[in-house]
Amino acid sequence: MNTDNESNNLVKVAVVQFEPKLGEVSLNQDKIVELVGKAFDQGARLVVAPEMANTGYIFESKEDAAQYAESVPGGPMVQALEKAAAGKNGYVVSGLMESDGDKLYNTAVLVGPEGYIGKYRKTHLWDVDKTFYEPGDLGFPVFDLPFARIGMCICYDQTFPEVSRIYAMQDVDIICSPTSWVVIPGLAIPEDPTWSYIARTQAQVNGLYMLCADRIGTERGVTFGGSSCIVGLMGFLGGPASGDKEEILATELDIAAGRVKMLSAVNHLLNDRRTDLYDEKLGYKG
Amino acid sequence: MNTDNESNNLVKVAVVQFEPKLGEVSLNQDKIVELVGKAFDQGARLVVAPEMANTGYIFESKEDAAQYAESVPGGPMVQALEKAAAGKNGYVVSGLMESDGDKLYNTAVLVGPEGYIGKYRKTHLWDVDKTFYEPGDLGFPVFDLPFARIGMCICYDQTFPEVSRIYAMQDVDIICSPTSWVVIPGLAIPEDPTWSYIARTQAQVNGLYMLCADRIGTERGVTFGGSSCIVGLMGFLGGPASGDKEEILATELDIAAGRVKMLSAVNHLLNDRRTDLYDEKLGYKG
């Protein structure tokens, strides 16, 4: 009997939702390691943690933010993730704050049993991001894990359909998205989690999976709405999670099924694109 | 006192949802004229009717379909719409089947008080469309009405984020979308109207309005799920409608507000695009 999930293409994945405490990097790091460890123990091969999971999000100034930034790789957060993944059979993606010389980036890192693998720098900067961080300059890199090809984006990036489309055109199976989804009264509230539905649409129109790990809690008057989710062509596969509770969402993904991308017997989500009318890769300059 | 809606940028719009009877073009035409007339009487300046509203959708063959096709303009359906709009202060967009020589198209027409204005031919063909119709060859044309700049798409077109993005980049305020949203168990059902949410996302990420007029009923085993909707940056402004009832949805749109496209004090949905990483207009060849 074959009990290896990789062989039958079912891969367990998870997202962890919690409340990072602003500026308490050591405490947050311990919490991330704890939750990611729990997800690994549940059999998850790929776990996603929120945006800026180790630092919190609403800083007062670039100087205020900068004291929590670290070099990537080599800094304490990446080291903690390396330790969490060592000897495990899984990979973790987490948001953190990166420093590179005097520049700061809103970054997501990918770490596995072999250690640090790569990073993505948020390309579309939301609100306060614009005050503190440089626009991401690494494009949309893809990484081949043993069980799936993945890409990363961060929060507001998902609002730009170009991002998921560009990843789809690079044959990405799973987009890992650390987020800090803000509550906007009348637009994005936990009772109607707009951000989760936007992610769902991006997954559905591209026929790929998206793992959105959101945070909860309030910082300096800004509330984050949880509603983490795991989405694919068929809609919500996990979540949306609660708006205010610490949670681990886990589900099995069929990677091979995801590659089929058929919405009807004759409708292929990518092959049906009218590339005679618009560019194959939206003019991606990566 | 200014009572002219155009001057304050509030424009009433409507979508009409009903069940076209397969092949009964005269009956359907009368129904469309009746519903569009009611919407005009309610003050709507722009009314959208479903895809193939005058013919129905599930034909047995191209020959079966062709008997219901008409030249555009000049055919009976466009003439009926011209009559409906004559002397009124409004415009109507409706789906119909177009013949051009021996070619058939799944087409949407725009008709106003001045008569026939223009057409759009469905560019992304869904399922049976591929058997009967040619892929649309008119690109994504835009039309300036007295109160707004509009574009058209048809049903499955909305699944391609390129379409709404290309319209947004042409400064379109409202996308009019006649649809025949099929029910797909587990994916698109009236209780969770996936197609409506996909439309909502396309409206939200582009900061434009989208008027989706769906049909109801079952033809040759294919069920259509209603759930017509009027969507914008702030989400559902009308609907989703029921899954199985004839309905007129009407609401006022603030066209000037739609042009602001700000999601936060510093986040502009179009200006935030990273056109250094991907093409300004997704390589639109229109």
Side-chain angles (χ1 to χ4, degrees), chain A residues 35-224:
Chain A
L35 291 172
V36 169
K38 280 186 185 171
F40 282 155
D41 290 344
Q42 291 174 23
R45 303 291 311 281
L46 178 60
V47 185
V48 181
E51 179 179 11
M52 298 284 199
N54 64 327
T55 61
Y57 191 65
I58 307 293
F59 299 97
E60 290 194 309
S61 64
K62 185 176 172 185
E63 291 63 39
D64 179 29
Q67 59 185 316
Y68 307 111
E70 64 179 67
S71 298
V72 174
M77 173 67 171
V78 171
Q79 285 178 19
L81 296 175
E82 287 174 328
K83 204 170 157 191
K88 303 285 182 179
N89 194 25
Y91 296 78
V92 57
V93 168
S94 179
L96 51 68
M97 196 195 306
E98 179 190 4
S99 60
D100 186 357
D102 61 357
K103 292 179 178 168
L104 300 181
Y105 294 92
N106 184 333
T107 293
V109 294
L110 169 64
V111 172
E114 64 269 51
Y116 169 82
I117 298 170
K119 65 186 166 189
Y120 166 82
R121 288 170 168 170
K122 189 175 186 177
T123 50
H124 302 85
L125 298 182
W126 172 258
D127 207 298
V128 290
D129 285 341
K130 294 193 179 193
T131 314
F132 311 140
Y133 313 117
E134 305 298 316
D137 54 0
L138 302 177
F140 305 101
V142 301
F143 300 92
D144 285 302
L145 304 189
F147 50 83
R149 190 165 165 88
I150 76 160
M152 294 178 270
C153 76
I154 300 177
C155 201
Y156 185 46
D157 285 328
Q158 72 164 20
T159 310
F160 296 80
E162 291 86 354
V163 174
S164 41
R165 198 57 136 190
I166 285 166
Y167 276 132
M169 294 314 302
Q170 294 187 86
D171 298 323
V172 157
D173 299 304
I174 304 171
I175 298 175
C176 299
S177 181
T179 71
S180 296
W181 285 335
V182 293
V183 171
I184 304 176
L187 172 60
I189 52 176
E191 295 71 32
D192 180 12
T194 289
W195 306 119
S196 312
Y197 279 98
I198 290 176
R200 185 175 93 158
T201 290
Q202 310 301 21
Q204 292 187 310
V205 305
N206 288 292
L208 48 67
Y209 298 107
M210 200 157 165
L211 313 186
C212 303
D214 196 36
R215 56 160 295 173
I216 53 175
T218 297
E219 286 178 8
R220 296 198 166 101
V222 177
T223 298
F224 303 92

Side-chain angles (χ1 to χ4, degrees), chain A residues 192 197 200-201, chain B residues 192-202 236:
Chain A
D192 180 12
Y197 279 98
R200 185 175 93 158
T201 290
Chain B
D192 180 13
T194 289
W195 305 119
S196 313
Y197 279 98
I198 290 177
R200 185 174 92 158
T201 291
Q202 310 301 21
F236 289 111

Side-chain angles (χ1 to χ4, degrees), chain A residues 123-125 127 130 136 156 159 162 165 192 200-201 233 266-267 272 274-275 277-279 282 285, chain B residues 123-125 127 130 136 156 162 165 187 192 200-201 205 266-267 272 274-275 277-279 282 285:
Chain A
T123 50
H124 302 85
L125 298 182
D127 207 298
K130 294 193 179 193
Y156 185 46
T159 310
E162 291 86 354
R165 198 57 136 190
D192 180 12
R200 185 175 93 158
T201 290
L233 174 58
V266 298
N267 287 106
D272 281 351
R274 288 291 304 274
T275 51
L277 297 179
Y278 44 77
D279 187 76
L282 316 188
K285 298 158 188 170
Chain B
T123 49
H124 302 85
L125 299 182
D127 207 300
K130 294 194 179 193
Y156 185 45
E162 290 87 353
R165 197 58 134 187
L187 171 60
D192 180 13
R200 185 174 92 158
T201 291
V205 304
V266 297
N267 286 106
D272 281 351
R274 288 291 305 272
T275 52
L277 297 179
Y278 45 77
D279 188 75
L282 317 187
K285 298 157 190 170

